[in-house]
Amino acid sequence: PVLFQMSVSQPQLGRGVPCLRCRGTCTGFEPHSWRKICKSCKCSQEDHSLSSDLEDDRKIGRLLSDSKYATLTTRVKGGDGIRIYKRNRMIITNPIVSRKDPTFDTITYEWAPPGLTQKLAMQYMELIPKEMQPVAGTDGAYYRRRQLMRQLPLYDQDPSQCRSLAEGELKLMEDFVKKYKAEALGVGEVALPGQGGIGKEEGKPQDKSIAASKPPESTNGALERAPAAEHY
């Protein structure tokens, strides 16, 4: 019975999708009965890039909805109240000067941090290894999609996607999801050194005098003497 439950729990979607790792040697995705791999090439589901942009945005939207980061999502028209992530794509156009007619080199990033100027967003992108930058049609874009598939499985957020949960366990999981959204969920902030932090998020400058007057704690919980002021 346990093996039967496992065999019916895997979605049978994405059949025939080529493998990004095998590069043509795989005949197409053939779902395993219970493992998250392809029966044809033994590579993972992530290597077949079974998700779409809309599905990825739904996953992130489901994660951020009912949290203090819900402003990063938007409602889908006719989607029964479902919220999806407002993905921020960035298009960089660089003119190529030549003796003939000018041409333009266009780079499209499938994702960029929201709320930034293009200059700061580009500084952020340049700090990401080249092979991981989410440029459309590159390995970096596929890398981001594989990471989302691995880090945001449906059954981590939606009890209805879990198998064999008792009625009491459904309520426990719903409470758990609400708790981690309220206490553990966070969205990273991109800022230049000295321009980010809690004070910026609260809309008021951070009181440095309070922070400086409080002695630091050691790893064992005992208070230590504040070190002499140094320049960094």
Side-chain angles (χ1 to χ4, degrees):
V2 175
L3 287 177
F4 176 75
Q5 290 177 7
M6 295 171 70
S7 66
V8 298
S9 65
Q10 289 295 338
Q12 301 297 305
L13 301 177
R15 288 181 180 272
V17 176
C19 181
L20 300 175
R21 177 176 292 183
C22 295
R23 301 293 184 182
T25 59
C26 175
T27 57
F29 181 70
E30 182 64 29
H32 192 275
S33 59
W34 58 274
R35 297 181 67 189
K36 295 182 180 180
I37 63 171
C38 170
K39 290 198 298 185
S40 300
C41 63
K42 304 299 186 294
C43 293
S44 67
Q45 290 181 355
E46 293 92 343
D47 291 322
H48 289 77
S49 190
L50 303 182
S51 64
S52 63
D53 288 348
L54 180 58
E55 185 177 344
D56 292 342
D57 292 343
R58 282 176 177 168
K59 286 182 179 181
I60 303 176
R62 188 183 293 109
L63 177 67
L64 299 180
S65 63
D66 301 323
S67 75
K68 59 183 178 181
Y69 302 104
T71 54
L72 296 176
T73 67
T74 184
R75 292 189 183 277
V76 181
K77 189 174 182 180
D80 297 329
I82 296 176
R83 304 190 70 92
I84 66 170
Y85 176 58
K86 293 188 292 187
R87 184 196 296 250
N88 180 37
R89 287 183 172 85
M90 183 171 65
I91 300 176
I92 306 296
T93 302
N94 298 314
I96 301 176
V97 181
S98 63
R99 295 180 180 178
K100 299 180 180 180
D101 295 336
T103 57
F104 296 91
D105 178 27
T106 301
I107 301 175
T108 301
Y109 292 88
E110 290 192 354
W111 170 87
L116 302 183
T117 63
Q118 192 174 88
K119 180 180 178 181
L120 184 55
M122 282 305 303
Q123 286 180 269
Y124 172 83
M125 288 298 178
E126 289 171 357
L127 295 174
I128 301 177
K130 192 74 174 177
E131 65 276 9
M132 295 182 183
Q133 294 178 7
V135 177
T138 66
D139 289 340
Y142 293 133
Y143 171 80
R144 178 176 181 273
R145 179 166 293 174
R146 289 195 296 268
Q147 290 296 97
L148 288 176
M149 290 183 66
R150 180 172 299 180
Q151 294 175 7
L152 297 178
L154 293 177
Y155 47 77
D156 272 7
Q157 304 175 50
D158 188 354
S160 66
Q161 299 294 326
C162 300
R163 302 285 175 171
S164 305
L165 286 181
E167 185 175 349
E169 293 173 328
L170 286 172
K171 181 64 170 61
L172 287 174
M173 182 172 177
E174 289 174 354
D175 294 341
F176 170 72
V177 172
K178 291 179 181 178
K179 188 172 183 180
Y180 79 62
K181 285 187 177 185
E183 300 179 6
L185 180 63
V187 174
E189 177 190 3
V190 178
L192 293 174
Q195 297 182 8
I198 299 176
K200 180 180 177 182
E201 292 178 358
E202 295 179 348
K204 56 185 179 180
Q206 193 172 7
D207 191 343
K208 296 183 179 180
S209 62
I210 297 176
S213 63
K214 184 179 178 181
E217 279 192 28
S218 66
T219 54
N220 61 6
L223 294 176
E224 293 184 341
R225 293 180 61 85
E230 296 182 24
H231 294 287
Y232 294 93

